[in-house]
Amino acid sequence: MAKGPYSEKVMDHFMNPRNMGEIEDANAVGEVGNPACGDVMKLYMKINDEGIVEDVKFKTFGCGAAIASSSMATELIKGKRVEDVLRLTNEAIVEALDGLPPAKIHCSVMAEEAIEAALKDYYQRIGKDPKIVDEMKEKIKTEIAS
Amino acid sequence: MIYMDNVAGTKPDKRVVEKMLPFIEEKYGNPSAHFYPLGRESFEAIEEAREHVASLINAKSDNIVFTSCGTESNNLAIKGVAFNSEYEGKKHIIISEIEHYSVQNTALKLTNLGFEVTKLKVDETGLVSLEDLRNAIREDTLLVSIMHANPEIGTIQDIEKIGEICKEKGVLFHVDAVASCGHVEVDVEKFKCDLLSIASQNFYGPKGVAALFIRDGVKLTPLFDGGFQERGYRSGSENVPAIVGMGEAARIAKEEMHIYAPKMIQLRKKLWDGLAKMFDFLHFTGHPEQRLPGHVSFWIEYIEGESLLLSYSLKGVAAASGSACSSNILAEDEDELEASHVLTAVGVPNDICAGSLTFSMSKYNEEKDVDYVLEITPAIVNRLCEMSPYYNKK
Ligand code: FES
């Protein structure tokens, strides 16, 4: 029997969000919104010279699922290499949260999109074409498919 | 748990439960079986309940039909007249923008059968304009269906004046009084209504039982065909324990409403004033005075409703939210998340999931409950503001 619409993990991350806040000297900032329900997620990353996410923080306007997804996403990408960060899918976020109600899956999609947006910003800042993020994502997808 | 979601359903009064118990255990006879005492006993209990329910709304008991819920009463009222040949040719129905889904969707369904529905706008306090109503009534208007009080924003309509206009224009008038009955006076004579829905769970009775008042002379086609229970308006075996419970709840409400309503108004004032002082970005919804006694509703800038609702729940307070994010959360897909039509109608920005919340108190709430809500609110709001990318500390 379900105890409520959200798993204990979701409730835990909602109550005690990890990495909430802003990073003053972030070098990767992404903001995405969901026009349908109005969620907005802003993600800040500090990526070092080795291409490793040293620090990450978020701010989210949204429901319990949106806040928990943001929090979980930051946990999952902290300390990772940029290439590996891009491997994080919304499904993995949902799994790490022990599931989300079907109507709330889009809140995890938003977290994945926020990461992409932040990395695009990062590449732009270091003088590369942000499209590289899309290409990398494509590559990962075909890799997984094969 | 501090329970402040009484528009969703009130805690049954102990006396109601006691009255119901024998009808679950030993007095199990079918009221249609008059020929032996066990059946007759159930029959009489239902008739006694009918008297109490009628008396609560100043009606005759003959005009009361028991149903299973407010939704059924609303469906029976609207489809009942729409399907009746007596009113053939009248194909226009007027409702307001803030009606309950059971009125909105029922009216909408009828458009497939050639009916036309006019939805009256409401002002920012949730009131229907009498002028608009007057202008909307046409030759072929069959029915006006307007709710007495809105459960989400608490506004109480000028229902007597609306009734007068309907009477004057000779159109049928249905009132959905589910949210108001047992909290403020509901009187079918003063309202000049032809049909009126009430539900037991909203006035300290059990869930799963409700009633429809049908004025003499109004022709209704029943929704169910069957064995002619409830004078044919509602065939099907009666839920005797529930009906008995509703009757007792009605009796208590009639006797005691004048005691608890003023207390609830005081609690409302305390909660309202306390919240008003806290944040300049908190906006109340509904009418400031013309509202349900224990009802406070508002939305907060920068914050989304479901996260507000969850935060209160984690602190032991049960409330309600009209934000899309909390609606239908167990739905199969996100398309079913829809911001409340009521909030949209009163002008709450709908491009964001507004942080809307409704605290609805009952006769069981105490001053200490309000104190507690006021005490925990700043931390809840500040925490969510901290998290919000919209909020910039001033
Ligand atoms: S915030 Fe609206 S559904 Fe997640």
Side-chain angles (χ1 to χ4, degrees):
Chain A
M1 261 293 268
K3 288 210 188 92
Y6 291 138
S7 71
E8 264 167 49
K9 273 257 182 71
V10 172
M11 290 310 286
D12 176 35
H13 277 262
F14 170 72
M15 261 189 304
N16 315 296
R18 332 290 201 257
N19 308 308
M20 200 274 293
E22 289 169 34
I23 302 176
E24 294 283 339
D25 58 343
N27 56 358
V29 181
E31 182 174 325
V32 289
N34 183 328
C37 76
D39 307 16
V40 174
M41 193 179 290
K42 199 164 179 182
L43 200 68
Y44 303 82
M45 288 189 226
K46 178 100 209 232
I47 299 170
N48 68 16
D49 297 341
E50 280 84 59
I52 290 173
V53 179
E54 244 179 42
D55 197 9
V56 52
K57 287 206 186 310
F58 79 89
K59 285 227 163 176
T60 294
F61 169 91
C63 66
I67 289 169
S69 296
S70 320
S71 165
M72 183 54 92
T74 60
E75 285 235 291
L76 293 172
I77 61 178
K78 199 166 182 173
K80 291 246 165 76
R81 303 193 65 79
V82 165
E83 301 77 37
D84 294 327
V85 165
L86 279 174
R87 289 181 179 273
L88 181 70
T89 59
N90 84 294
E91 283 100 340
I93 297 171
V94 174
E95 206 185 295
L97 287 171
D98 290 342
L100 281 177
K104 293 292 186 164
I105 298 293
H106 73 279
C107 309
S108 68
V109 173
M110 198 170 61
E112 186 185 329
E113 286 170 356
I115 294 171
E116 267 175 55
L119 289 182
K120 282 185 179 167
D121 177 54
Y122 166 71
Y123 282 112
Q124 190 141 32
R125 289 188 200 217
I126 60 170
K128 289 196 182 160
D129 186 348
K131 277 208 198 92
I132 187 172
V133 169
D134 300 322
E135 285 159 20
M136 286 162 85
K137 272 250 150 179
E138 263 319 299
K139 230 173 94 193
I140 293 167
K141 260 195 223 147
T142 42
E143 208 184 284
I144 294 169
S146 65
Chain B
M1 162 70 64
I2 293 182
Y3 187 68
M4 290 207 188
D5 189 15
N6 288 281
V7 287
T10 44
K11 175 183 169 180
D13 193 298
K14 273 216 164 57
R15 292 165 284 180
V16 167
V17 179
E18 271 160 29
K19 189 101 187 187
M20 289 170 69
L21 282 176
F23 290 90
I24 297 170
E25 276 188 311
E26 43 321 326
K27 303 185 180 192
Y28 49 78
N30 191 318
S32 298
H34 305 266
F35 295 105
Y36 48 83
L38 199 59
R40 211 157 45 233
E41 199 169 43
S42 289
F43 173 81
E44 278 161 11
I46 288 183
E47 292 317 306
E48 189 192 319
R50 203 185 304 280
E51 293 283 345
H52 289 311
V53 168
S55 153
L56 177 63
I57 58 173
N58 191 24
K60 286 186 294 175
S61 61
D62 280 357
N63 299 108
I64 301 296
V65 167
F66 287 113
T67 65
S68 67
C69 57
T71 293
E72 191 191 326
S73 291
N74 287 342
N75 268 266
L76 176 58
I78 299 169
K79 289 180 184 156
V81 289
F83 294 160
N84 199 283
S85 56
E86 179 87 3
Y87 308 109
E88 229 171 60
K90 296 217 172 204
K91 293 263 181 196
H92 180 226
I93 294 172
I94 299 174
I95 64 172
S96 85
E97 260 186 323
I98 59 167
E99 293 307 306
H100 187 259
Y101 284 119
S102 55
V103 167
Q104 289 232 347
N105 292 343
T106 302
L108 200 74
K109 251 271 167 72
L110 289 172
T111 59
N112 298 334
L113 299 171
F115 283 83
E116 211 185 303
V117 177
T118 300
K119 275 193 202 175
L120 297 176
K121 295 222 174 312
V122 293
D123 67 12
E124 68 288 352
T125 68
L127 287 178
V128 165
S129 141
L130 301 177
E131 211 35 51
D132 287 357
L133 170 64
R134 206 181 281 279
N135 294 335
I137 297 175
R138 321 188 302 214
E139 268 298 288
D140 65 336
T141 302
L142 167 66
L143 175 77
V144 171
S145 178
I146 305 279
M147 60 176 23
H148 186 205
N150 184 283
E152 228 170 297
I153 55 170
T155 300
I156 297 180
Q157 301 293 337
D158 290 325
I159 216 78
E160 296 180 26
K161 292 196 191 121
I162 294 175
E164 256 162 47
I165 295 173
C166 294
K167 184 119 196 247
E168 188 185 297
K169 298 265 187 177
V171 296
L172 293 173
F173 180 34
H174 166 242
V175 179
D176 171 1
V178 167
S180 60
C181 189
H183 303 277
V184 292
E185 190 190 31
V186 169
D187 181 324
V188 295
E189 289 314 313
K190 285 189 185 160
F191 290 5
K192 300 185 182 61
C193 57
D194 302 287
L195 298 147
L196 181 132
S197 308
I198 62 172
S200 144
Q201 80 199 51
N202 289 63
F203 53 92
Y204 315 104
K207 284 177 227 19
V209 60
L212 179 67
F213 158 79
I214 308 168
R215 192 176 288 284
D216 287 335
V218 174
K219 299 278 183 280
L220 273 198
T221 298
L223 299 177
F224 310 154
D225 297 304
F228 293 101
Q229 285 90 345
E230 294 296 299
R231 293 190 295 138
Y233 286 122
R234 208 280 183 183
S235 292
S237 299
E238 294 92 339
N239 184 352
V240 183
I243 291 174
V244 167
M246 182 175 189
E248 181 67 356
R251 184 193 67 75
I252 296 169
K254 166 128 186 171
E255 262 169 38
E256 299 176 5
M257 199 162 64
H258 69 281
I259 305 169
Y260 58 72
K263 174 187 141 192
M264 282 159 70
I265 291 174
Q266 261 175 17
L267 293 182
R268 175 184 82 198
K269 188 168 170 359
K270 181 165 187 171
L271 183 53
W272 184 292
D273 293 349
L275 290 170
K277 270 189 229 130
M278 276 178 203
F279 312 99
D280 56 2
F281 48 87
L282 182 150
H283 310 273
F284 291 100
T285 55
H287 198 282
E289 289 106 34
Q290 218 170 300
R291 62 187 300 115
L292 289 169
H295 192 287
V296 174
S297 54
F298 56 90
W299 63 281
I300 300 183
E301 287 175 54
Y302 323 118
I303 299 182
E304 185 280 317
E306 188 205 274
S307 47
L308 201 54
L309 187 66
L310 273 178
S311 302
Y312 277 107
S313 150
L314 289 165
K315 290 276 177 200
V317 177
S321 167
S323 90
C325 311
S326 57
S327 72
N328 236 337
I329 184 175
L330 292 173
E332 278 311 300
D333 64 80
E334 62 186 275
D335 292 344
E336 287 164 55
L337 294 175
E338 214 180 82
S340 144
H341 63 285
V342 178
L343 295 176
T344 312
V346 294
V348 175
N350 64 341
D351 50 333
I352 55 168
C353 296
S356 98
L357 213 72
T358 295
F359 288 123
S360 50
M361 292 174 274
S362 75
K363 63 180 181 181
Y364 298 118
N365 286 108
E366 301 287 347
E367 200 166 331
K368 63 174 185 355
D369 299 341
V370 173
D371 288 335
Y372 178 70
V373 169
L374 290 173
E375 181 193 317
I376 62 172
T377 297
I380 287 175
V381 172
N382 288 331
R383 186 181 96 95
L384 293 171
C385 278
E386 275 300 300
M387 256 192 251
S388 170
Y390 289 140
Y391 181 71
N392 296 313
K393 272 186 231 116
K394 294 164 197 167

